[in-house]
């Protein structure tokens, strides 16, 4: 419950910190409505649309309404997928408005002690510290390899968890041994003639739970002629912090990453996770009020590229790629498409693989309901969105769903399981599929 004093402070900070010109750019035309998953799945409630949320923000700024629980709930239920931005004729930066309002709400609300402790442990105690993430995922690996996971599943202990958490446990990827993670070199040579020198952003969960996908991405870049440097002191991108109202912590992580990648003399900074890439690509906005850091942030952002863009630039599609005959469809990572504007590149590469029959999914650009930790904190809405998504997946008759973000990958794997399609369909990260196509061709 927000107190009257907290509401007054929040309202004042809305007036001071929210870009009113950006609010006024919204013409209330409604072009965003068909693109908004929460608007559709809530039964077309205006307050759960981008237009409606902007109207609520404007009403708080103008003092027409208080920033009460209904306003907060509307903002919490937003996925932050930013599908509204490409279709907006006025070019409203909705994502910037959303993140700033969430930051204000979070900074001025007195959380309960359990919530405050949990947020502290996650946002300050865990994600800024890669060694702690490695330790935690290492324990998951031991749980998987020791046989404990089998025992836990057979005994039904997981039934004590909320259903969606038990489902997520069932689709966790196999975690590699941490020795394997630690022994990777920080400088990897190109295979053949060097064409580019790039730095690779490893991410936090990508370099632990999805370490094998990172390794696949690195191998693809090497095959394409990239010399790769992996900065030792890079950190979490800060996306989870920025989307959850922890703006100050996101800024600290942004500065750490900018500093880690500076002065490397690379052509590009390469990412393979759409959610991370989108947040990294807006470091200049995040640091816009910091004169010392904004120019440094702009230099960082200027070099940022998704790995699919680099592969195309270096003509990776001319490799002899082949897979067993299969029907493939592609689920866009919302942030990769809507923020980084990368969506034709993966499709062009997929079309270059012999053996693939590509079927474009209807509304492939619409969110799958993952959205960082959204599928944990807003599981009911997330599952409604996912179940709708799986209906469009089925219509493609695909046997393989490809995506380019770890959260999307887990969500689609969960969708396959919920739809009872585990024996006839799989979900894979795009980098893993491309490397599979390289290996398959070599083995023929």
């Amino acid at each position: 419950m927000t107190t009257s004093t907290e509401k007054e402070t929040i309202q004042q900070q809305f007036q001071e910190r929210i870009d009113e010109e950006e609010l006024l750019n919204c013409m209330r035309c409604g072009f965003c409505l068909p693109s908004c998953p929460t608007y559709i799945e809530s039964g077309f409630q205006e307050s759960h649309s981008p237009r409606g949320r902007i109207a609520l923000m404007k009403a708080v700024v103008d003092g027409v309404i208080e920033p009460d629980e209904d306003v907060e709930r509307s903002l919490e239920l937003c996925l932050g997928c930013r599908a509204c931005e490409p279709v907006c004729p006025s070019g409203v930066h909705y994502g910037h408005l959303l993140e700033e309002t969430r930051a204000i709400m979070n900074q001025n609300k007195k959380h309960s002690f359990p919530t405050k402790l949990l947020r502290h442990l996650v946002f300050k105690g865990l994600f800024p510290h890669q060694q702690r993430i490695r330790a935690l995922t290492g324990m998951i690996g031991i749980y998987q390899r020791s046989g404990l996971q089998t025992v836990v599943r057979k005994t039904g202990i997981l039934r004590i968890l909320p259903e969606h958490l038990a489902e997520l446990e069932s689709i966790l990827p196999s975690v590699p041994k941490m020795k394997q993670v630690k022994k990777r070199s920080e400088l990897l040579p190109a295979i053949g003639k060097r064409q580019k020198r790039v730095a690779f952003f490893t991410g936090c969960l990508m370099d632990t739970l999805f370490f094998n996908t990172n390794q696949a991405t690195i191998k693809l870049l090497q095959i394409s002629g990239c010399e790769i440097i992996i900065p030792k002191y890079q950190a979490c991108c800060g996306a989870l912090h920025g989307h959850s109202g922890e703006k100050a912590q996101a800024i600290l992580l942004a500065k750490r990453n900018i500093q880690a990648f500076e002065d490397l003399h690379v052509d590009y900074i390469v990412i393979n996770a759409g959610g991370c890439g989108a947040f990294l690509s807006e470091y200049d906005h995040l640091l816009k009020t910091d004169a010392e850091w904004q120019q440094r942030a702009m230099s960082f952002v200027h070099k940022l590229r998704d790995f699919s863009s680099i592969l195309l630039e270096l003509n990776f599609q001319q490799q002899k790629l082949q897979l067993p005959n299969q029907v493939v469809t592609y689920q866009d990572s919302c942030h990769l498409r809507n923020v980084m504007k990368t969506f034709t590149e993966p499709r062009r590469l997929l079309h270059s693989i012999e053996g693939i029959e590509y079927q474009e999914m209807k509304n492939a650009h619409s969110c799958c309901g993952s959205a960082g930790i959204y599928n944990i904190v807003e599981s009911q809405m997330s599952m409604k969105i996912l179940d709708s998504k799986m209906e469009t997946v089925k219509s493609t008759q695909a046997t393989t769903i490809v995506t380019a973000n770890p959260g999307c990958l887990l969500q689609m794997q969960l969708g396959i399981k919920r739809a009872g399609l585990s024996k006839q369909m799989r979900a894979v990260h795009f980098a893993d599929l491309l490397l599979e196509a390289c290996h398959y061709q070599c083995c023929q």
Side-chain angles (χ1 to χ4, degrees), residues 258-413:
I258 291 167
Q259 197 164 27
F261 283 84
E262 279 181 326
D263 304 321
L264 295 180
H265 306 292
V266 295
D267 299 298
Y268 300 116
I269 299 168
V270 182
I271 58 97
N272 65 351
C276 296
F279 200 75
L280 293 167
S281 71
E282 294 192 328
Y283 273 1
D284 54 341
H285 173 77
L286 184 66
L287 296 166
K288 67 179 181 179
T289 60
D290 191 322
E292 178 190 352
W293 283 90
Q294 194 190 26
Q295 187 58 49
R296 297 166 72 178
M298 289 175 68
S299 298
F300 176 93
V301 168
H302 180 70
K303 290 187 175 182
L304 199 68
R305 297 288 188 282
D306 182 67
F307 82 102
S308 62
S309 300
I310 304 302
L311 295 184
L312 272 181
E313 181 179 334
L314 298 178
N315 297 312
F316 180 82
Q317 68 273 23
Q318 294 178 9
Q319 301 276 340
K320 292 182 179 179
L321 303 173
Q322 187 178 356
L323 286 170
N325 292 341
Q326 58 193 284
V327 180
V328 173
T329 193
Y330 181 74
Q331 166 63 29
D332 284 290
S333 157
C334 295
H335 289 108
L336 184 61
R337 181 181 183 112
N338 299 328
V339 182
M340 293 194 72
K341 313 302 181 188
T342 301
F343 49 92
T344 60
E345 293 89 338
R347 289 168 169 83
R348 287 177 60 189
L349 287 166
L350 284 172
H351 281 293
S352 71
I353 302 174
E354 185 179 340
I356 279 183
E357 178 188 338
Y358 181 77
Q359 290 291 335
E360 181 69 18
M361 186 195 313
K362 182 181 178 182
N363 296 327
H365 60 277
S366 69
C367 188
C368 64
S370 172
I373 58 172
Y374 187 93
N375 56 358
I376 297 175
V377 298
E378 297 290 348
S379 60
Q380 184 176 1
M381 178 59 76
S382 175
M383 292 304 102
K384 287 179 69 175
I385 293 169
L386 176 59
D387 291 343
S388 295
K389 172 63 67 176
M390 289 309 300
E391 290 302 313
T392 63
V393 170
K394 289 179 194 176
S395 68
T396 67
Q397 298 185 323
T399 54
T400 302
I401 309 171
V402 180
T403 189
N405 190 62
C408 302
L409 176 59
L410 291 178
Q411 186 81 339
M412 298 313 297
Q413 289 173 341

Side-chain angles (χ1 to χ4, degrees), residues 88-105:
C88 177
S90 300
V92 176
H93 292 96
Y94 172 79
H96 297 167
L97 292 171
L98 179 67
E99 287 180 6
E100 193 64 33
T101 55
R102 283 178 170 174
I104 294 169
M105 289 284 196

